[in-house]
Amino acid sequence: MTSPIAWNWQTGERLLALDDPEEWDAAFERGERSLGTAAIGLAFNCTLEEASPRIIRAMQLPDIAQRGFAFTAAGTAARLNGALTPELYAALRAEGPGRRSIAVNAIDDTLTFVPFRRLPTWLKCWSVVSTVRNKLDAWRLSSSYAVTDAWKAVRRR
């Protein structure tokens, strides 16, 4: 474990190297600033079981930027472990998978790095919905470009 003297909770310096869940807990109790950043460090340096409860607590922080970092930590955990805990899946679901959700990148990372067969049912359904939506958007844009190009060609005559 790295010496806690090295952590700078005000600037976030060295927190991506945090490997001590108890230090994160103590900082949470003190109300430190960069808990979401430190949650990413836990995702990198601790087991999923150790990091998961702290990531979930960071997802509930009042500071929106730090909450965003907590969701980044969940995506990082999915990348590194190829799975998430049931509690992390529940937290992602509670935030919502839509395009305007703060969890959108974490959900995308989960869909990319967790095997489909290991996803919960709601996330499998979202995977299908988002794939269909993306395909429809691509078709809509292609047809829009074709119409625009045709219109330009007609106007040139």
Side-chain angles (χ1 to χ4, degrees):
M1 307 253 170
T2 309
S3 168
I5 297 170
W7 316 128
N8 187 334
W9 291 97
Q10 291 304 310
T11 65
E13 186 178 345
R14 298 233 343 106
L15 290 178
L16 291 178
L18 184 67
D19 60 357
D20 185 0
E22 288 78 27
E23 175 64 24
W24 193 95
D25 293 338
F28 183 81
E29 294 303 320
R30 293 191 306 268
E32 294 289 357
R33 247 180 106 176
S34 301
L35 291 165
T37 305
I40 298 171
L42 292 177
F44 276 124
N45 301 303
C46 297
T47 66
L48 181 59
E49 291 71 27
E50 289 176 317
S52 177
R54 286 130 183 121
I55 293 170
I56 292 167
R57 279 196 275 170
M59 288 176 173
Q60 299 163 356
L61 292 169
D63 180 356
I64 191 73
Q66 291 304 311
R67 285 183 60 219
F69 289 140
F71 285 99
T72 300
T76 300
R79 284 173 181 253
L80 295 174
N81 298 292
L84 292 177
T85 63
E87 295 81 14
L88 277 171
Y89 284 124
L92 292 177
R93 185 176 189 181
E95 198 61 42
R99 292 180 178 170
R100 294 183 181 177
S101 170
I102 192 171
V104 69
N105 291 329
I107 290 172
D108 286 347
D109 284 348
T110 302
L111 291 174
T112 301
F113 294 101
V114 176
F116 188 80
R117 68 185 178 284
R118 295 175 67 186
L119 294 172
T121 304
W122 73 269
L123 203 46
K124 288 178 182 177
C125 292
W126 177 250
S127 175
V128 172
V129 166
S130 65
T131 300
V132 169
R133 181 184 286 175
N134 290 342
K135 183 54 84 176
L136 291 173
D137 283 348
W139 288 343
R140 180 185 55 80
L141 286 173
S142 293
S143 63
S144 173
Y145 294 150
V147 167
T148 301
D149 291 345
W151 179 248
K152 285 180 183 176
V154 167
R155 284 187 9 199
R156 278 189 230 134
R157 289 185 171 205

